Amino acid sequence: MTVLEELRQAVVDGQAKLAVAKVTQGLEEGIPAETLLQDGLIAAMREVGQLFEDGEIFVPEMLVAARAMNATVAVLKPRLIEHAVQSSGTVAIGTVQGDLHDIGKNLVAMMLEGSGFEVVDLGTDVPPERFIDAIRAGADVVAMSALLTTTMTSMKDVVEAISLAGLRDRVRIIIGGAPITARYASEIGADGYAPDASKAVRKVRELLAVQSPAG
Ligand code: B1M
């Protein structure tokens, strides 16, 4: 088995220590951090989702796999972020009400932070009023994540609540997560959608008209 395969298997099996060891080995062997993330960790979570869907594993196994993933992301973090110094704006990010999935949201938050944005992480299961409080406290962007088809509709509630509070002109709204599409974003009146964490950074930069370091 290659290191990437061993990493994938360790995460699927929920073996956090082994997964951390495999990420470390992969880095030592010169595998780029982005490859370890995409082809190791994210691929493993996809496999876990499939096993769950097929009834071969249950919620506890999904949970330990998620813990293994989180442990390895901590090791990769310094290699994934760009270390920008100047603040480019404030982003309030959260997983919407009713939804507890936070791995994707945490990756987006980490990449934004590494790219020079101030990030206010509202956590998971975030009700609309907490996003509104964050705008009142100065957030330039509201970033929402949802992983369930049953919770993605909460994004619309947040957009509506922001409009009702008279704050829509003060903020840009970006959404993402596995069931989300660009079409859904425009349907609910969000300003943007991104399919992954690095594209989320690009989209936020675009929405705030911030130059990327590459120009
Ligand atoms: Co759950 N779960 N889960 N789960 N879980 C899914 C999402 C599911 C697809 C599994 C499946 O059936 N195949 C399914 C949803 C089905 C659906 O709605 N259509 C599901 C289900 C059903 C459930 C429960 C209902 C199970 C139950 O209790 N019976 C339950 C719901 C709990 C709740 O939220 N109320 C549940 C619970 C859990 C755990 C708690 C056990 C655990 C989460 C732990 C945690 O997050 N701390 C869990 C996990 C791990 C998964 C899977 C296996 C993996 C999710 C993940 O972390 N992926 C998932 C299967 C899958 O996704 N294939 C599944 C890796 C992560 C990096 O990807 O989050 O997509 P993702 O983020 C990406 C992009 O989407 C994007 O960037 C990220 C990086 O590239 N992105 C954004 C995300 N947010 C963004 C925001 C942006 C921009 C981009 O801008 C703001």
Side-chain angles (χ1 to χ4, degrees):
M1 271 211 272
T2 64
V3 185
L4 272 177
E5 285 164 349
E6 286 175 335
L7 171 60
R8 251 190 330 258
Q9 197 56 51
V11 173
V12 170
D13 294 342
Q15 296 192 48
K17 272 192 189 151
L18 184 60
V20 167
K22 290 297 153 191
V23 158
T24 310
Q25 185 185 340
L27 289 172
E28 279 164 9
E29 288 181 10
I31 302 175
E34 186 63 30
T35 306
L36 290 165
L37 176 69
Q38 292 297 338
D39 302 342
L41 305 180
I42 293 182
M45 295 317 280
R46 224 177 290 128
E47 194 175 328
V48 167
Q50 193 57 52
L51 290 169
F52 176 74
E53 222 171 290
D54 296 342
E56 290 189 36
I57 62 166
F58 301 95
V59 171
E61 286 93 339
M62 274 209 287
L63 204 50
V64 286
R67 283 202 194 121
M69 162 126 193
N70 279 333
T72 49
V73 168
V75 179
L76 281 182
K77 185 173 175 178
R79 309 281 189 115
L80 286 170
I81 60 180
E82 292 168 15
H83 298 293
V85 276
Q86 235 181 339
S87 170
S88 312
T90 301
V91 182
I93 190 167
T95 304
V96 295
Q97 192 157 36
D99 200 323
L100 302 174
H101 296 85
D102 67 354
I103 296 175
K105 183 265 297 169
N106 292 347
L107 283 175
V108 175
M110 183 179 94
M111 299 291 226
L112 284 168
E113 212 172 1
S115 306
F117 294 94
E118 297 269 343
V119 174
V120 180
D121 190 343
L122 303 173
T124 59
D125 190 15
V126 181
E129 36 312 347
R130 296 213 25 239
F131 285 106
I132 288 178
D133 290 347
I135 302 169
R136 292 207 168 106
D140 306 297
V141 176
V142 158
M144 290 182 269
S145 179
L147 265 283
L148 300 170
T149 44
T150 48
T151 57
M152 61 189 272
T153 50
S154 302
M155 291 172 156
K156 185 167 186 261
D157 300 339
V158 176
V159 176
E160 282 172 4
I162 291 172
S163 296
L164 266 175
L167 297 168
R168 187 64 187 89
D169 294 343
R170 261 169 62 177
V171 74
R172 295 278 172 271
I173 303 173
I174 174 175
I175 63 173
I180 308 303
T181 59
R183 189 177 168 175
Y184 182 66
S186 82
E187 246 172 58
I188 66 167
D191 298 301
Y193 152 80
D196 61 41
S198 35
K199 295 205 180 76
V201 172
R202 211 176 304 158
K203 184 51 93 178
V204 170
R205 278 198 184 118
E206 188 187 307
L207 292 174
L208 294 180
V210 175
Q211 292 274 308
S212 76

